[in-house]
Amino acid sequence: GDSVTQMEGPVTLSEEAFLTINCTYTATGYPSLFWYVQYPGEGLQLLLKATKADDKGSNKGFEATYRKETTSFHLEKGSVQVSDSAVYFCALSDIGGSQGNLIFGKGTKLSVKP
Amino acid sequence: DAMVIQNPRYQVTQFGKPVTLSCSQTLNHNVMYWYQQKSSQAPKLLFHYYDKDFNNEADTPDNFQSRRPNTSFCFLDIRSPGLGDTAMYLCATSRERGRGTDTQYFGPGTRLTVL
């Protein structure tokens, strides 16, 4: 079945460091790909998305490119801030398979120190 | 602002005492989802409604039920909560289930504690 694998955390960085969180997926169809962010005690917020190969999603300085050849959707940010500390979830939506249900990775906790 | 609203934000109930969680949306989306998220885990889909069509996940316990009386509201009923049902419950909506329309928008969640 479809699945998402993302790097395990926690990830601890200093402010202004470069961030990469790896995400790879397995899907029988052509899924939409998403990154969601969850701040402590809150629900999930959509960070960015891409719906087809080579699409780049971007928001708040974060970027991710849908790479069909490597089945990846890695999240990057050039300079992290303390306020970016949160749990980041990579997810796919397999339109053809599971009625568009989201399949999540296990989440990566990011801590940014001043 | 259009949004997904969940009430209450925090709920404490006793073992075996029925509880109902509420979700409403102003997005006029066709699809509404309920997820369970236990501590330090990814959200797990319980079920979803596509309009009035109820879709249960195969491994969702019978103890969990849902109602969608209209487009805007959806309820999660836990008939006899157990200690293992302590979790954050997330409601989400999407416009449709097709490509480009399947982005899910989440509410802030209800944190349920079963004592």
Side-chain angles (χ1 to χ4, degrees), chain B:
Chain B
D1 287 347
M3 58 176 61
V4 181
I5 302 160
Q6 291 188 243
N7 285 303
R9 293 293 308 275
Y10 301 91
Q11 177 74 55
V12 179
T13 192
Q14 292 182 335
F15 180 93
K17 185 175 181 181
V19 65
T20 295
L21 309 183
S22 169
C23 176
S24 64
Q25 53 125 344
T26 60
L27 296 158
N28 204 32
H29 282 177
N30 276 329
V31 196
M32 296 187 76
Y33 307 80
W34 279 104
Y35 291 84
Q36 179 192 63
Q37 185 182 24
K38 295 188 176 180
S39 181
S40 302
Q41 295 184 19
K44 177 179 179 297
L45 183 65
L46 295 173
F47 27 59
H48 75 275
Y49 272 95
Y50 180 70
D51 194 14
K52 296 179 182 178
D53 183 29
F54 178 69
N55 298 270
N56 200 26
E57 292 299 297
D59 56 355
T60 298
D62 292 341
N63 199 26
F64 290 85
Q65 304 286 320
S66 186
R67 296 170 283 134
R68 190 178 185 187
N70 54 53
T71 300
S72 301
F73 283 87
C74 194
F75 300 98
L76 170 62
D77 300 309
I78 308 177
R79 292 191 298 187
S80 182
L83 299 180
D85 297 329
T86 291
M88 173 83 90
Y89 290 87
L90 298 167
C91 176
T93 74
S94 67
R95 186 154 56 92
E96 289 288 341
R97 294 185 299 199
R99 188 178 304 281
T101 62
D102 56 339
T103 301
Q104 293 189 24
Y105 298 91
F106 285 79
T110 295
R111 187 170 294 280
L112 175 69
T113 302
V114 182
L115 301 177

Side-chain angles (χ1 to χ4, degrees), chain A residues 30-32 93-100, chain B residues 97-100 102:
Chain A
Y30 298 94
S32 298
S93 174
D94 183 6
I95 292 124
S98 54
Q99 300 182 322
Chain B
R97 294 185 299 199
R99 188 178 304 281
D102 56 339

Side-chain angles (χ1 to χ4, degrees), chain A residues 13-20 59-63 75-85 88 110 112-113:
Chain A
L13 296 174
S14 297
E15 207 164 22
E16 298 184 3
F18 184 85
L19 168 71
T20 299
N59 185 26
K60 300 180 182 179
F62 291 90
E63 292 183 341
L75 182 67
E76 297 182 336
K77 186 175 185 183
S79 177
V80 293
Q81 306 300 312
V82 172
S83 57
D84 294 326
S85 297
Y88 292 81
L110 171 66
V112 181
K113 306 296 184 187

